[in-house]
Amino acid sequence: MKALALIDVDGVLNPHGTAACPPGYTEHELFPGELVRVRREHGPLLLRLSTRYELVWATYWEHEANRLLAPLLGLPRLPVIPCAGPPGSHRDKLLGIAPWVADRPLVWFDDLHSAAAHEWAASRTAPTRLIHVDPVAGLTGAYVDQALLP
């Protein structure tokens, strides 16, 4: 069984840390009145991870990530971790993630790992790597390379 790669959307695939759309991204109205920044190169970057990891959505988008974003990135439907609680409450997001991943090794890409997430990661016996993605730039090859290091 492969290790898991938990993928957040906002701040990771949809950089929101800047007012201007970053170079290489295009804006799409995937939700009424809300623009989402998409970089098509994210699909191949994530697929590089799939040689070692099972890709899983770990986002408040939940199933909308498969419906709206995966086709734009050329990704297959991915498993979805139900992220309990309101957006912005990453402690609640962890409450959905922890039981779902059980004791599997993982790497978690997010722009907002809470203190609780760091404590949980440090306490796990399974290898666990939290990769903080800069929400201004979004996911880059350097983050993927970091996840692929032994």
Side-chain angles (χ1 to χ4, degrees):
M1 187 177 291
K2 287 183 179 178
L4 300 169
L6 309 184
I7 312 297
D8 183 35
V9 173
D10 292 322
V12 175
L13 301 181
N14 173 30
H16 56 70
T18 180
C21 185
Y25 287 84
T26 57
E27 294 182 321
H28 301 261
E29 189 173 342
L30 300 182
F31 300 100
E34 185 178 337
L35 293 176
V36 174
R37 296 166 176 172
V38 176
R39 182 175 173 227
R40 294 196 189 279
E41 290 83 5
H42 281 153
L45 274 177
L46 291 173
L47 290 175
R48 276 185 52 211
L49 288 169
S50 68
T51 61
R52 185 179 299 170
Y53 297 97
E54 177 184 351
L55 303 178
V56 180
W57 294 119
T59 172
Y60 290 117
W61 284 43
E62 293 187 341
H63 293 282
E64 294 298 295
N66 277 325
R67 189 175 76 79
L68 299 172
L69 193 56
L72 292 174
L73 299 177
L75 294 175
R77 293 185 66 78
L78 304 178
V80 175
I81 297 175
C83 293
S89 176
H90 282 59
R91 183 172 193 80
D92 286 339
K93 190 178 195 182
L94 177 61
L95 292 176
I97 288 171
W100 199 95
V101 302
D103 61 355
R104 289 178 69 181
L106 65 89
V107 61
W108 179 4
F109 295 91
D110 208 309
D111 64 313
L112 291 171
H113 292 110
S114 66
H118 285 279
E119 291 169 15
W120 170 78
S123 72
R124 297 184 80 226
T125 56
T128 304
R129 188 179 301 172
L130 304 184
I131 297 180
H132 172 77
V133 176
D134 179 355
V136 173
L139 186 71
T140 64
Y143 295 119
V144 171
D145 290 345
Q146 184 181 347
L148 293 172
L149 289 174

